[in-house]
Amino acid sequence: MKIKESAMVFFRRFLYVLYYFKETDWKQLRKFLNYSSVLSGRSKPDIIADLMLSVFRYNISFKDYFCFRFYELDNHGRDQWAGTGYMYEFQLKMNPKKSRDLLENKSLFLKKFSSLIRRGYYTREEIRSDSSLAGKVLKSDPGFLVLKNSRGQAGAEVKIIEAKDFTPVRLIEYMTTMKLDLVEEYVKQHHSLMELSPSGLNTVRIITQISGKKVDFIGARLRISVNSSVDNMAAGNLAAPINLRTGIVDGPGVYSDITKKDQAMHPITGVSITGFAVPYWDAVMEMARAAALMTPENRSVGWDIAVTEEGTELIEGNHNWCKILWQLPVKRGLKADLERYQR
């Protein structure tokens, strides 16, 4: 039986490798390889061989190997990190495919969690059938609109436009051409977050885990834009750890690009990241708790929450929340924090 199980594990990880080959940003990987070779003093062939072994042994992706700095770690240190393959299997178990549509489909999400959302929103079909809705949303404050593909993931297929550049007809045409089917009012963030980074909406990622009938919080991160209209790490932005008890950022901002230095202060505005106090912290936590209890069939969710002058605003929920955003800011592997939920 053990031989059969081992063969199945190997086959599954082999399939993951094929996926990694297809999805990897090879230009970035070469950059990471060059950097890690110089930093560690190890040859590139040695690192590549170690990478391939690690993919199978620790259930990680090619990129994970470099982001988690496996080239510097011993076996015990490596085993602490939750990699791409591990997270896929964990999240599939916690958030079954039949339950995910609520989080994957942004239109369904907005309707389900409407009690936690203040911003206005319409589908493309709604504004096509009633042009007055388009006129209404084009006049919304602060003059920007967020256009999305309702099925887009990880910040993909999101456009932020200036309303003054569009008429109702032009808006519909643009959305159709760009294959965007949802328009939302732009969220005007709290002045302290605007001072920290005005280029984009800076959100708080709260990761919740349903355990029995209660909600556990297993991480909080501040996602910080750097000359970007979005705040995803994959787009070159920063993420910093937040103390769950106090709501204060207790570490520097980090990039997913391992060649870039950590930032105790924002590289553009100069505002301190370490020590930043997230406004309305108790309300942020309560919103995440309330959202988690509204979809208990999805047991492990990463909630993105904006903070405005008036309070909190739920942006989205992610069934496939990012293990890099979760672990890199605290500079340690957190796989053990998930293991207890699988017993």
PDB file of all heavy atoms in Angstrom, residues 21 24-39 42-45 47-48 51 62-63 65-66 71 257-259:
ATOM      1  N   PHE A  21       6.543  24.122 -15.689  1.00  0.00           N
ATOM      2  CA  PHE A  21       7.239  24.417 -16.936  1.00  0.00           C
ATOM      3  C   PHE A  21       6.385  25.324 -17.822  1.00  0.00           C
ATOM      4  O   PHE A  21       6.897  26.219 -18.493  1.00  0.00           O
ATOM      5  CB  PHE A  21       7.581  23.126 -17.680  1.00  0.00           C
ATOM      6  CG  PHE A  21       8.928  22.557 -17.338  1.00  0.00           C
ATOM      7  CD1 PHE A  21       9.041  21.424 -16.552  1.00  0.00           C
ATOM      8  CD2 PHE A  21      10.091  23.161 -17.791  1.00  0.00           C
ATOM      9  CE1 PHE A  21      10.287  20.892 -16.221  1.00  0.00           C
ATOM     10  CE2 PHE A  21      11.336  22.648 -17.474  1.00  0.00           C
ATOM     11  CZ  PHE A  21      11.438  21.505 -16.687  1.00  0.00           C
ATOM     12  N   THR A  24       5.901  29.071 -15.718  1.00  0.00           N
ATOM     13  CA  THR A  24       7.040  29.806 -15.171  1.00  0.00           C
ATOM     14  C   THR A  24       7.451  30.990 -16.043  1.00  0.00           C
ATOM     15  O   THR A  24       7.461  30.907 -17.268  1.00  0.00           O
ATOM     16  CB  THR A  24       8.246  28.860 -14.989  1.00  0.00           C
ATOM     17  OG1 THR A  24       7.953  27.929 -13.940  1.00  0.00           O
ATOM     18  CG2 THR A  24       9.503  29.624 -14.622  1.00  0.00           C
ATOM     19  N   ASP A  25       7.787  32.082 -15.389  1.00  0.00           N
ATOM     20  CA  ASP A  25       8.379  33.247 -16.043  1.00  0.00           C
ATOM     21  C   ASP A  25       9.876  32.959 -16.119  1.00  0.00           C
ATOM     22  O   ASP A  25      10.625  33.165 -15.158  1.00  0.00           O
ATOM     23  CB  ASP A  25       8.107  34.504 -15.208  1.00  0.00           C
ATOM     24  CG  ASP A  25       8.714  35.769 -15.812  1.00  0.00           C
ATOM     25  OD1 ASP A  25       9.629  35.650 -16.649  1.00  0.00           O
ATOM     26  OD2 ASP A  25       8.297  36.874 -15.420  1.00  0.00           O
ATOM     27  N   TRP A  26      10.336  32.490 -17.272  1.00  0.00           N
ATOM     28  CA  TRP A  26      11.718  32.018 -17.395  1.00  0.00           C
ATOM     29  C   TRP A  26      12.739  33.139 -17.316  1.00  0.00           C
ATOM     30  O   TRP A  26      13.859  32.942 -16.812  1.00  0.00           O
ATOM     31  CB  TRP A  26      11.878  31.218 -18.690  1.00  0.00           C
ATOM     32  CG  TRP A  26      11.113  29.929 -18.618  1.00  0.00           C
ATOM     33  CD1 TRP A  26       9.905  29.648 -19.191  1.00  0.00           C
ATOM     34  CD2 TRP A  26      11.480  28.752 -17.880  1.00  0.00           C
ATOM     35  NE1 TRP A  26       9.492  28.375 -18.868  1.00  0.00           N
ATOM     36  CE2 TRP A  26      10.452  27.803 -18.064  1.00  0.00           C
ATOM     37  CE3 TRP A  26      12.575  28.414 -17.088  1.00  0.00           C
ATOM     38  CZ2 TRP A  26      10.482  26.536 -17.489  1.00  0.00           C
ATOM     39  CZ3 TRP A  26      12.621  27.155 -16.506  1.00  0.00           C
ATOM     40  CH2 TRP A  26      11.580  26.233 -16.713  1.00  0.00           C
ATOM     41  N   LYS A  27      12.368  34.308 -17.765  1.00  0.00           N
ATOM     42  CA  LYS A  27      13.278  35.448 -17.652  1.00  0.00           C
ATOM     43  C   LYS A  27      13.536  35.767 -16.183  1.00  0.00           C
ATOM     44  O   LYS A  27      14.680  36.007 -15.766  1.00  0.00           O
ATOM     45  CB  LYS A  27      12.684  36.664 -18.372  1.00  0.00           C
ATOM     46  CG  LYS A  27      13.584  37.884 -18.331  1.00  0.00           C
ATOM     47  CD  LYS A  27      12.953  39.047 -19.091  1.00  0.00           C
ATOM     48  CE  LYS A  27      13.843  40.286 -19.035  1.00  0.00           C
ATOM     49  NZ  LYS A  27      13.219  41.442 -19.771  1.00  0.00           N
ATOM     50  N   GLN A  28      12.477  35.758 -15.397  1.00  0.00           N
ATOM     51  CA  GLN A  28      12.609  36.013 -13.969  1.00  0.00           C
ATOM     52  C   GLN A  28      13.403  34.908 -13.289  1.00  0.00           C
ATOM     53  O   GLN A  28      14.251  35.169 -12.433  1.00  0.00           O
ATOM     54  CB  GLN A  28      11.228  36.128 -13.314  1.00  0.00           C
ATOM     55  CG  GLN A  28      11.281  36.415 -11.830  1.00  0.00           C
ATOM     56  CD  GLN A  28       9.905  36.337 -11.185  1.00  0.00           C
ATOM     57  OE1 GLN A  28       9.309  35.268 -11.091  1.00  0.00           O
ATOM     58  NE2 GLN A  28       9.401  37.494 -10.749  1.00  0.00           N
ATOM     59  N   LEU A  29      13.156  33.663 -13.696  1.00  0.00           N
ATOM     60  CA  LEU A  29      13.848  32.547 -13.069  1.00  0.00           C
ATOM     61  C   LEU A  29      15.351  32.602 -13.333  1.00  0.00           C
ATOM     62  O   LEU A  29      16.166  32.311 -12.438  1.00  0.00           O
ATOM     63  CB  LEU A  29      13.271  31.214 -13.563  1.00  0.00           C
ATOM     64  CG  LEU A  29      13.426  30.049 -12.572  1.00  0.00           C
ATOM     65  CD1 LEU A  29      12.506  30.247 -11.388  1.00  0.00           C
ATOM     66  CD2 LEU A  29      13.148  28.715 -13.233  1.00  0.00           C
ATOM     67  N   ARG A  30      15.731  32.975 -14.539  1.00  0.00           N
ATOM     68  CA  ARG A  30      17.163  33.127 -14.843  1.00  0.00           C
ATOM     69  C   ARG A  30      17.789  34.221 -13.981  1.00  0.00           C
ATOM     70  O   ARG A  30      18.932  34.092 -13.514  1.00  0.00           O
ATOM     71  CB  ARG A  30      17.353  33.430 -16.331  1.00  0.00           C
ATOM     72  CG  ARG A  30      17.169  32.223 -17.242  1.00  0.00           C
ATOM     73  CD  ARG A  30      17.653  32.515 -18.651  1.00  0.00           C
ATOM     74  NE  ARG A  30      16.851  33.533 -19.317  1.00  0.00           N
ATOM     75  CZ  ARG A  30      15.761  33.272 -20.011  1.00  0.00           C
ATOM     76  NH1 ARG A  30      15.329  32.017 -20.145  1.00  0.00           N
ATOM     77  NH2 ARG A  30      15.089  34.250 -20.608  1.00  0.00           N
ATOM     78  N   LYS A  31      17.050  35.284 -13.790  1.00  0.00           N
ATOM     79  CA  LYS A  31      17.511  36.374 -12.930  1.00  0.00           C
ATOM     80  C   LYS A  31      17.731  35.876 -11.510  1.00  0.00           C
ATOM     81  O   LYS A  31      18.764  36.173 -10.873  1.00  0.00           O
ATOM     82  CB  LYS A  31      16.469  37.495 -12.953  1.00  0.00           C
ATOM     83  CG  LYS A  31      16.751  38.665 -12.030  1.00  0.00           C
ATOM     84  CD  LYS A  31      15.588  39.657 -12.121  1.00  0.00           C
ATOM     85  CE  LYS A  31      15.733  40.786 -11.120  1.00  0.00           C
ATOM     86  NZ  LYS A  31      14.573  41.724 -11.179  1.00  0.00           N
ATOM     87  N   PHE A  32      16.785  35.099 -10.988  1.00  0.00           N
ATOM     88  CA  PHE A  32      16.900  34.551  -9.636  1.00  0.00           C
ATOM     89  C   PHE A  32      18.061  33.562  -9.540  1.00  0.00           C
ATOM     90  O   PHE A  32      18.761  33.508  -8.528  1.00  0.00           O
ATOM     91  CB  PHE A  32      15.598  33.873  -9.228  1.00  0.00           C
ATOM     92  CG  PHE A  32      14.461  34.817  -8.929  1.00  0.00           C
ATOM     93  CD1 PHE A  32      13.211  34.313  -8.589  1.00  0.00           C
ATOM     94  CD2 PHE A  32      14.626  36.190  -8.997  1.00  0.00           C
ATOM     95  CE1 PHE A  32      12.158  35.169  -8.302  1.00  0.00           C
ATOM     96  CE2 PHE A  32      13.570  37.059  -8.715  1.00  0.00           C
ATOM     97  CZ  PHE A  32      12.334  36.541  -8.373  1.00  0.00           C
ATOM     98  N   LEU A  33      18.247  32.768 -10.586  1.00  0.00           N
ATOM     99  CA  LEU A  33      19.337  31.786 -10.602  1.00  0.00           C
ATOM    100  C   LEU A  33      20.690  32.495 -10.541  1.00  0.00           C
ATOM    101  O   LEU A  33      21.577  32.103  -9.759  1.00  0.00           O
ATOM    102  CB  LEU A  33      19.238  30.914 -11.849  1.00  0.00           C
ATOM    103  CG  LEU A  33      20.357  29.885 -12.057  1.00  0.00           C
ATOM    104  CD1 LEU A  33      20.409  28.895 -10.897  1.00  0.00           C
ATOM    105  CD2 LEU A  33      20.164  29.159 -13.394  1.00  0.00           C
ATOM    106  N   ASN A  34      20.859  33.515 -11.342  1.00  0.00           N
ATOM    107  CA  ASN A  34      22.113  34.273 -11.343  1.00  0.00           C
ATOM    108  C   ASN A  34      22.370  34.901  -9.975  1.00  0.00           C
ATOM    109  O   ASN A  34      23.482  34.843  -9.441  1.00  0.00           O
ATOM    110  CB  ASN A  34      22.078  35.364 -12.413  1.00  0.00           C
ATOM    111  CG  ASN A  34      22.087  34.806 -13.824  1.00  0.00           C
ATOM    112  OD1 ASN A  34      22.565  33.702 -14.060  1.00  0.00           O
ATOM    113  ND2 ASN A  34      21.539  35.550 -14.766  1.00  0.00           N
ATOM    114  N   TYR A  35      21.329  35.484  -9.419  1.00  0.00           N
ATOM    115  CA  TYR A  35      21.452  36.159  -8.124  1.00  0.00           C
ATOM    116  C   TYR A  35      21.810  35.168  -7.016  1.00  0.00           C
ATOM    117  O   TYR A  35      22.723  35.421  -6.220  1.00  0.00           O
ATOM    118  CB  TYR A  35      20.132  36.857  -7.794  1.00  0.00           C
ATOM    119  CG  TYR A  35      20.089  37.516  -6.434  1.00  0.00           C
ATOM    120  CD1 TYR A  35      20.636  38.788  -6.247  1.00  0.00           C
ATOM    121  CD2 TYR A  35      19.489  36.881  -5.354  1.00  0.00           C
ATOM    122  CE1 TYR A  35      20.595  39.413  -5.006  1.00  0.00           C
ATOM    123  CE2 TYR A  35      19.439  37.486  -4.103  1.00  0.00           C
ATOM    124  CZ  TYR A  35      19.994  38.753  -3.940  1.00  0.00           C
ATOM    125  OH  TYR A  35      19.949  39.357  -2.702  1.00  0.00           O
ATOM    126  N   SER A  36      21.106  34.043  -6.959  1.00  0.00           N
ATOM    127  CA  SER A  36      21.337  33.064  -5.889  1.00  0.00           C
ATOM    128  C   SER A  36      22.702  32.402  -6.022  1.00  0.00           C
ATOM    129  O   SER A  36      23.332  32.060  -5.014  1.00  0.00           O
ATOM    130  CB  SER A  36      20.233  32.001  -5.894  1.00  0.00           C
ATOM    131  OG  SER A  36      20.196  31.300  -7.125  1.00  0.00           O
ATOM    132  N   SER A  37      23.170  32.241  -7.238  1.00  0.00           N
ATOM    133  CA  SER A  37      24.492  31.640  -7.453  1.00  0.00           C
ATOM    134  C   SER A  37      25.588  32.552  -6.907  1.00  0.00           C
ATOM    135  O   SER A  37      26.510  32.095  -6.213  1.00  0.00           O
ATOM    136  CB  SER A  37      24.718  31.378  -8.946  1.00  0.00           C
ATOM    137  OG  SER A  37      26.003  30.843  -9.179  1.00  0.00           O
ATOM    138  N   VAL A  38      25.481  33.840  -7.203  1.00  0.00           N
ATOM    139  CA  VAL A  38      26.466  34.804  -6.700  1.00  0.00           C
ATOM    140  C   VAL A  38      26.388  34.904  -5.178  1.00  0.00           C
ATOM    141  O   VAL A  38      27.407  34.904  -4.480  1.00  0.00           O
ATOM    142  CB  VAL A  38      26.235  36.188  -7.344  1.00  0.00           C
ATOM    143  CG1 VAL A  38      27.115  37.243  -6.668  1.00  0.00           C
ATOM    144  CG2 VAL A  38      26.516  36.135  -8.833  1.00  0.00           C
ATOM    145  N   LEU A  39      25.166  34.964  -4.666  1.00  0.00           N
ATOM    146  CA  LEU A  39      24.965  35.154  -3.224  1.00  0.00           C
ATOM    147  C   LEU A  39      25.452  33.952  -2.407  1.00  0.00           C
ATOM    148  O   LEU A  39      26.077  34.113  -1.356  1.00  0.00           O
ATOM    149  CB  LEU A  39      23.479  35.402  -2.941  1.00  0.00           C
ATOM    150  CG  LEU A  39      23.113  35.874  -1.526  1.00  0.00           C
ATOM    151  CD1 LEU A  39      23.660  37.278  -1.284  1.00  0.00           C
ATOM    152  CD2 LEU A  39      21.600  35.864  -1.339  1.00  0.00           C
ATOM    153  N   ARG A  42      27.361  28.999  -4.921  1.00  0.00           N
ATOM    154  CA  ARG A  42      27.124  27.692  -5.521  1.00  0.00           C
ATOM    155  C   ARG A  42      27.030  27.832  -7.037  1.00  0.00           C
ATOM    156  O   ARG A  42      26.574  28.859  -7.551  1.00  0.00           O
ATOM    157  CB  ARG A  42      25.826  27.072  -4.972  1.00  0.00           C
ATOM    158  CG  ARG A  42      25.867  26.813  -3.473  1.00  0.00           C
ATOM    159  CD  ARG A  42      24.513  26.395  -2.937  1.00  0.00           C
ATOM    160  NE  ARG A  42      24.032  25.166  -3.569  1.00  0.00           N
ATOM    161  CZ  ARG A  42      22.846  24.609  -3.284  1.00  0.00           C
ATOM    162  NH1 ARG A  42      22.035  25.184  -2.408  1.00  0.00           N
ATOM    163  NH2 ARG A  42      22.494  23.494  -3.878  1.00  0.00           N
ATOM    164  N   SER A  43      27.405  26.805  -7.748  1.00  0.00           N
ATOM    165  CA  SER A  43      27.330  26.847  -9.201  1.00  0.00           C
ATOM    166  C   SER A  43      25.876  26.752  -9.654  1.00  0.00           C
ATOM    167  O   SER A  43      25.021  26.194  -8.945  1.00  0.00           O
ATOM    168  CB  SER A  43      28.127  25.695  -9.814  1.00  0.00           C
ATOM    169  OG  SER A  43      27.484  24.456  -9.566  1.00  0.00           O
ATOM    170  N   LYS A  44      25.611  27.264 -10.836  1.00  0.00           N
ATOM    171  CA  LYS A  44      24.252  27.211 -11.374  1.00  0.00           C
ATOM    172  C   LYS A  44      23.781  25.774 -11.591  1.00  0.00           C
ATOM    173  O   LYS A  44      22.638  25.442 -11.248  1.00  0.00           O
ATOM    174  CB  LYS A  44      24.167  28.024 -12.663  1.00  0.00           C
ATOM    175  CG  LYS A  44      24.367  29.513 -12.441  1.00  0.00           C
ATOM    176  CD  LYS A  44      24.334  30.275 -13.756  1.00  0.00           C
ATOM    177  CE  LYS A  44      24.698  31.740 -13.561  1.00  0.00           C
ATOM    178  NZ  LYS A  44      24.715  32.475 -14.847  1.00  0.00           N
ATOM    179  N   PRO A  45      24.605  24.867 -12.160  1.00  0.00           N
ATOM    180  CA  PRO A  45      24.158  23.480 -12.310  1.00  0.00           C
ATOM    181  C   PRO A  45      23.808  22.829 -10.970  1.00  0.00           C
ATOM    182  O   PRO A  45      22.848  22.058 -10.877  1.00  0.00           O
ATOM    183  CB  PRO A  45      25.358  22.791 -12.970  1.00  0.00           C
ATOM    184  CG  PRO A  45      26.045  23.889 -13.715  1.00  0.00           C
ATOM    185  CD  PRO A  45      25.906  25.090 -12.839  1.00  0.00           C
ATOM    186  N   ILE A  47      22.674  24.368  -8.274  1.00  0.00           N
ATOM    187  CA  ILE A  47      21.391  24.927  -7.817  1.00  0.00           C
ATOM    188  C   ILE A  47      20.231  24.331  -8.608  1.00  0.00           C
ATOM    189  O   ILE A  47      19.188  23.986  -8.042  1.00  0.00           O
ATOM    190  CB  ILE A  47      21.402  26.462  -7.938  1.00  0.00           C
ATOM    191  CG1 ILE A  47      22.382  27.050  -6.918  1.00  0.00           C
ATOM    192  CG2 ILE A  47      20.002  27.035  -7.737  1.00  0.00           C
ATOM    193  CD1 ILE A  47      22.550  28.556  -7.029  1.00  0.00           C
ATOM    194  N   ILE A  48      20.407  24.169  -9.923  1.00  0.00           N
ATOM    195  CA  ILE A  48      19.334  23.609 -10.760  1.00  0.00           C
ATOM    196  C   ILE A  48      19.029  22.179 -10.341  1.00  0.00           C
ATOM    197  O   ILE A  48      17.851  21.783 -10.233  1.00  0.00           O
ATOM    198  CB  ILE A  48      19.725  23.670 -12.250  1.00  0.00           C
ATOM    199  CG1 ILE A  48      19.772  25.124 -12.721  1.00  0.00           C
ATOM    200  CG2 ILE A  48      18.741  22.866 -13.099  1.00  0.00           C
ATOM    201  CD1 ILE A  48      20.363  25.316 -14.105  1.00  0.00           C
ATOM    202  N   LEU A  51      17.225  22.313  -7.108  1.00  0.00           N
ATOM    203  CA  LEU A  51      15.866  22.804  -7.336  1.00  0.00           C
ATOM    204  C   LEU A  51      14.941  21.669  -7.756  1.00  0.00           C
ATOM    205  O   LEU A  51      13.842  21.509  -7.207  1.00  0.00           O
ATOM    206  CB  LEU A  51      15.903  23.904  -8.400  1.00  0.00           C
ATOM    207  CG  LEU A  51      14.585  24.573  -8.808  1.00  0.00           C
ATOM    208  CD1 LEU A  51      14.872  25.970  -9.354  1.00  0.00           C
ATOM    209  CD2 LEU A  51      13.829  23.777  -9.869  1.00  0.00           C
ATOM    210  N   PHE A  62       9.188  25.954  -9.028  1.00  0.00           N
ATOM    211  CA  PHE A  62      10.506  26.490  -9.353  1.00  0.00           C
ATOM    212  C   PHE A  62      10.714  27.855  -8.673  1.00  0.00           C
ATOM    213  O   PHE A  62      11.761  28.122  -8.077  1.00  0.00           O
ATOM    214  CB  PHE A  62      10.675  26.660 -10.859  1.00  0.00           C
ATOM    215  CG  PHE A  62      10.478  25.402 -11.665  1.00  0.00           C
ATOM    216  CD1 PHE A  62      10.152  25.467 -13.009  1.00  0.00           C
ATOM    217  CD2 PHE A  62      10.623  24.137 -11.087  1.00  0.00           C
ATOM    218  CE1 PHE A  62       9.983  24.317 -13.760  1.00  0.00           C
ATOM    219  CE2 PHE A  62      10.461  22.980 -11.833  1.00  0.00           C
ATOM    220  CZ  PHE A  62      10.129  23.068 -13.178  1.00  0.00           C
ATOM    221  N   LYS A  63       9.706  28.707  -8.762  1.00  0.00           N
ATOM    222  CA  LYS A  63       9.814  30.045  -8.175  1.00  0.00           C
ATOM    223  C   LYS A  63       9.900  29.967  -6.660  1.00  0.00           C
ATOM    224  O   LYS A  63      10.649  30.734  -6.026  1.00  0.00           O
ATOM    225  CB  LYS A  63       8.633  30.916  -8.598  1.00  0.00           C
ATOM    226  CG  LYS A  63       8.713  32.338  -8.064  1.00  0.00           C
ATOM    227  CD  LYS A  63       7.528  33.183  -8.527  1.00  0.00           C
ATOM    228  CE  LYS A  63       7.612  34.593  -7.944  1.00  0.00           C
ATOM    229  NZ  LYS A  63       6.479  35.443  -8.395  1.00  0.00           N
ATOM    230  N   TYR A  65      11.347  27.838  -4.838  1.00  0.00           N
ATOM    231  CA  TYR A  65      12.710  27.486  -4.435  1.00  0.00           C
ATOM    232  C   TYR A  65      13.533  28.749  -4.174  1.00  0.00           C
ATOM    233  O   TYR A  65      14.288  28.817  -3.193  1.00  0.00           O
ATOM    234  CB  TYR A  65      13.370  26.642  -5.528  1.00  0.00           C
ATOM    235  CG  TYR A  65      14.811  26.265  -5.234  1.00  0.00           C
ATOM    236  CD1 TYR A  65      15.110  25.095  -4.545  1.00  0.00           C
ATOM    237  CD2 TYR A  65      15.862  27.090  -5.639  1.00  0.00           C
ATOM    238  CE1 TYR A  65      16.433  24.749  -4.267  1.00  0.00           C
ATOM    239  CE2 TYR A  65      17.183  26.769  -5.371  1.00  0.00           C
ATOM    240  CZ  TYR A  65      17.468  25.594  -4.686  1.00  0.00           C
ATOM    241  OH  TYR A  65      18.768  25.264  -4.401  1.00  0.00           O
ATOM    242  N   PHE A  66      13.380  29.735  -5.032  1.00  0.00           N
ATOM    243  CA  PHE A  66      14.159  30.966  -4.894  1.00  0.00           C
ATOM    244  C   PHE A  66      13.518  31.928  -3.892  1.00  0.00           C
ATOM    245  O   PHE A  66      14.213  32.529  -3.064  1.00  0.00           O
ATOM    246  CB  PHE A  66      14.330  31.637  -6.250  1.00  0.00           C
ATOM    247  CG  PHE A  66      15.165  30.830  -7.204  1.00  0.00           C
ATOM    248  CD1 PHE A  66      14.573  30.117  -8.246  1.00  0.00           C
ATOM    249  CD2 PHE A  66      16.539  30.756  -7.052  1.00  0.00           C
ATOM    250  CE1 PHE A  66      15.349  29.360  -9.109  1.00  0.00           C
ATOM    251  CE2 PHE A  66      17.323  29.997  -7.912  1.00  0.00           C
ATOM    252  CZ  PHE A  66      16.719  29.298  -8.945  1.00  0.00           C
ATOM    253  N   TYR A  71      18.148  27.681  -1.472  1.00  0.00           N
ATOM    254  CA  TYR A  71      19.577  27.540  -1.763  1.00  0.00           C
ATOM    255  C   TYR A  71      20.442  27.856  -0.542  1.00  0.00           C
ATOM    256  O   TYR A  71      21.637  27.587  -0.538  1.00  0.00           O
ATOM    257  CB  TYR A  71      19.973  28.435  -2.946  1.00  0.00           C
ATOM    258  CG  TYR A  71      19.538  29.874  -2.821  1.00  0.00           C
ATOM    259  CD1 TYR A  71      20.328  30.818  -2.165  1.00  0.00           C
ATOM    260  CD2 TYR A  71      18.321  30.294  -3.364  1.00  0.00           C
ATOM    261  CE1 TYR A  71      19.932  32.127  -2.050  1.00  0.00           C
ATOM    262  CE2 TYR A  71      17.917  31.618  -3.254  1.00  0.00           C
ATOM    263  CZ  TYR A  71      18.712  32.525  -2.587  1.00  0.00           C
ATOM    264  OH  TYR A  71      18.305  33.838  -2.467  1.00  0.00           O
ATOM    265  N   ASP A 257      10.307  39.687  -5.515  1.00  0.00           N
ATOM    266  CA  ASP A 257      11.556  39.685  -6.274  1.00  0.00           C
ATOM    267  C   ASP A 257      12.715  39.615  -5.282  1.00  0.00           C
ATOM    268  O   ASP A 257      12.990  40.583  -4.554  1.00  0.00           O
ATOM    269  CB  ASP A 257      11.654  40.956  -7.120  1.00  0.00           C
ATOM    270  CG  ASP A 257      12.893  40.990  -8.012  1.00  0.00           C
ATOM    271  OD1 ASP A 257      13.864  40.258  -7.732  1.00  0.00           O
ATOM    272  OD2 ASP A 257      12.895  41.774  -8.979  1.00  0.00           O
ATOM    273  N   ILE A 258      13.400  38.481  -5.228  1.00  0.00           N
ATOM    274  CA  ILE A 258      14.427  38.256  -4.208  1.00  0.00           C
ATOM    275  C   ILE A 258      15.649  39.148  -4.389  1.00  0.00           C
ATOM    276  O   ILE A 258      16.475  39.259  -3.476  1.00  0.00           O
ATOM    277  CB  ILE A 258      14.877  36.779  -4.181  1.00  0.00           C
ATOM    278  CG1 ILE A 258      15.557  36.392  -5.503  1.00  0.00           C
ATOM    279  CG2 ILE A 258      13.708  35.873  -3.870  1.00  0.00           C
ATOM    280  CD1 ILE A 258      16.212  35.025  -5.470  1.00  0.00           C
ATOM    281  N   THR A 259      15.767  39.802  -5.529  1.00  0.00           N
ATOM    282  CA  THR A 259      16.930  40.673  -5.759  1.00  0.00           C
ATOM    283  C   THR A 259      16.721  42.064  -5.177  1.00  0.00           C
ATOM    284  O   THR A 259      17.657  42.875  -5.158  1.00  0.00           O
ATOM    285  CB  THR A 259      17.240  40.796  -7.261  1.00  0.00           C
ATOM    286  OG1 THR A 259      16.199  41.532  -7.910  1.00  0.00           O
ATOM    287  CG2 THR A 259      17.373  39.424  -7.909  1.00  0.00           C
TER     288      THR A 259
END
